[in-house]
Amino acid sequence: MTGSATVRVLRDRTAGLFLVVVVVSGFGTSAMWLAAGVWVKSLTGSDSLAALAVFAMWLPVLVGPALGTIADRIPAKPLLVGANLVMAGLLTSLTTVDSAGRIWVLFVVLVLYGASFVLMGAAESTLIAGAVDARLLGDFNGLRMMASEGMKLLAPLAGAGLYARFGGGAVALLDAASFALAAGVCVLLPAREPAEAAPAGRRGELTAGIRQVWGSPVLRPLVLAGSVAMLCAGLNGAAIYAVIDDVLGHSPTYAGVLYAVQGAGSVVVGLLAGPLLRRLAERVFTAAGIALFAVAVGVRALPYDAVALVASAAIGAGLPCVLIAAMTAVQRETPEAVLGRTAATANTMMMVPNAVALALGAGLIALVDIRVLLPLVGAAGLLTATLLVTGRRGRLTDAPAGPLPSSAEA
């Protein structure tokens, strides 16, 4: 069944092309994500500015609903092609960043980088929801997660090597090439006009995504649970170097090993997500992922390498369940006319807590022993999972999706 569903997704032209885009652009993005902070640090010597480089890419998520409104008004294919080409051009400008005095150019490009991903993510949801069978949306989102995380296993190493040998400009050109290639693939996507939305006024347009999420008995609990889970994920991420140093007694480079194992866990769950979502209620699937993540975070307080490696794999497998289930529900439950706004709003509601927690966690680590903080974060995650499965249920979360049709029925 897993193989059959995967083949069906890959045989869909739109879904297959999107997965190619994820692989191509994901490689350049992962390399650039690593290089940006190192680049700022090497030019300015400032740890704070280096941290801001990553935050700059997160910043546009705060205005996700507004960017989603734009995505709902522009045909998805031209938006995707144009956004990729614009980013390819902007990234080439980074070859001029060779001193601290020009670091502002890098920050401007990073903010626009984040904005482009919000826009493209919203446009992607619109195209995929209209092209892929609703029963296969979980498979597509799982494969998308697998492709994205797979690139994170390879690209950072390539980016680090390229940066060490040729500098940040070379990494920027690699990323620009990946965007240009992604634009070429997007040209092959089918054209699809945006759905007509009823007039609602400017304020109504901006809040349409929020109303859709909050008013849905299916989406609201999933997105809220995702928000708490991503808050816990941010605290866990902020604690990683304290775990490596204070608990395990390794050098900071050991983070690369833990992240690689975590990525492997995400790749595995990406392949299994679709079949599991067809067999389990969405809340159960999401709660199981949160619970696995929470237990793994809690046991990171134990001073054993084997436990740390298993916990990293479990975190990589558990946390994506939240995102896959929530975005699959958004794509299936939302009218096409407001799908871009709703997808961007759900993304904002889940990702902003993660960014806030990364900053909050830096302060908490200085005040609370890591061996106490991590079990508390794990307990919060377990409570969230419990409330999700025991709370009031929406109509699509009471039972798993039905079986896929046979080949003759499809």
Side-chain angles (χ1 to χ4, degrees), residues 359-387:
L360 179 64
L364 282 175
I365 291 168
L367 298 174
V368 182
D369 190 295
I370 197 69
R371 297 167 185 83
V372 175
L373 178 61
L374 289 177
L376 288 175
V377 172
L382 286 174
L383 177 61
T384 302
T386 301
L387 292 175

Side-chain angles (χ1 to χ4, degrees), residues 202-226:
R202 183 171 298 178
R203 182 177 179 182
E205 287 188 351
L206 291 175
T207 59
I210 298 173
R211 294 198 306 272
Q212 181 67 26
V213 170
W214 199 256
S216 170
V218 175
L219 300 183
R220 184 174 64 247
L222 291 176
V223 173
L224 288 178

Side-chain angles (χ1 to χ4, degrees), residues 228-239 293 319 353-359 361-362:
V228 178
M230 295 307 292
L231 179 74
C232 294
L235 295 174
N236 171 66
F293 161 76
L319 195 57
N354 183 265
V356 170
L358 284 169

Side-chain angles (χ1 to χ4, degrees), residues 92-392:
T92 60
S93 71
L94 295 184
T95 57
T96 66
V97 180
D98 54 6
S99 66
R102 295 192 61 82
I103 205 68
W104 65 269
V105 176
L106 176 57
F107 278 100
V108 169
V109 171
L110 291 177
V111 171
L112 294 174
Y113 203 122
S116 74
F117 268 83
V118 176
L119 277 172
M120 289 191 286
E124 173 192 312
S125 292
T126 301
L127 271 179
I128 288 300
V132 178
D133 188 313
R135 288 162 294 191
L136 294 175
L137 286 172
D139 295 273
F140 170 79
N141 288 315
L143 289 173
R144 189 191 190 288
M145 180 69 69
M146 184 178 70
S148 176
E149 294 300 320
M151 288 303 97
K152 291 179 182 178
L153 294 176
L154 304 174
L157 295 175
L162 196 61
Y163 182 89
R165 181 67 179 85
F166 300 106
V171 182
L173 289 176
L174 170 67
D175 201 8
S178 75
F179 272 105
L181 185 55
V185 177
C186 288
V187 169
L188 302 176
L189 290 168
R192 186 179 178 86
E193 291 296 321
E196 290 292 332
R202 183 171 298 178
R203 182 177 179 182
E205 287 188 351
L206 291 175
T207 59
I210 298 173
R211 294 198 306 272
Q212 181 67 26
V213 170
W214 199 256
S216 170
V218 175
L219 300 183
R220 184 174 64 247
L222 291 176
V223 173
L224 288 178
S227 299
V228 178
M230 295 307 292
L231 179 74
C232 294
L235 295 174
N236 171 66
I240 182 66
Y241 289 105
V243 170
I244 291 170
D245 184 16
D246 300 338
V247 177
L248 300 177
H250 291 297
S251 70
T253 57
Y254 193 67
V257 177
L258 297 182
Y259 280 132
V261 174
Q262 182 174 322
S266 297
V267 168
V268 171
V269 83
L271 188 60
L272 298 176
L276 289 174
L277 275 171
R278 283 192 294 276
R279 288 166 173 79
L280 301 174
E282 283 171 337
R283 290 198 191 196
V284 174
F285 175 77
T286 305
I290 294 175
L292 178 61
F293 161 76
V295 171
V297 170
V299 301
R300 271 188 158 178
L302 299 175
Y304 306 107
D305 281 357
V307 172
L309 292 171
V310 172
S312 291
I315 288 170
L319 195 57
C321 295
V322 183
L323 304 177
I324 292 170
M327 295 316 295
T328 299
V330 165
Q331 291 164 352
R332 188 179 58 239
E333 286 284 289
T334 308
E336 184 182 344
V338 294
L339 181 51
R341 276 164 281 184
T342 305
T345 297
N347 189 55
T348 293
M349 293 177 66
M350 290 188 289
M351 293 305 169
V352 167
N354 183 265
V356 170
L358 284 169
L360 179 64
L364 282 175
I365 291 168
L367 298 174
V368 182
D369 190 295
I370 197 69
R371 297 167 185 83
V372 175
L373 178 61
L374 289 177
L376 288 175
V377 172
L382 286 174
L383 177 61
T384 302
T386 301
L387 292 175
L388 183 60
V389 292
T390 58
R392 183 179 176 183

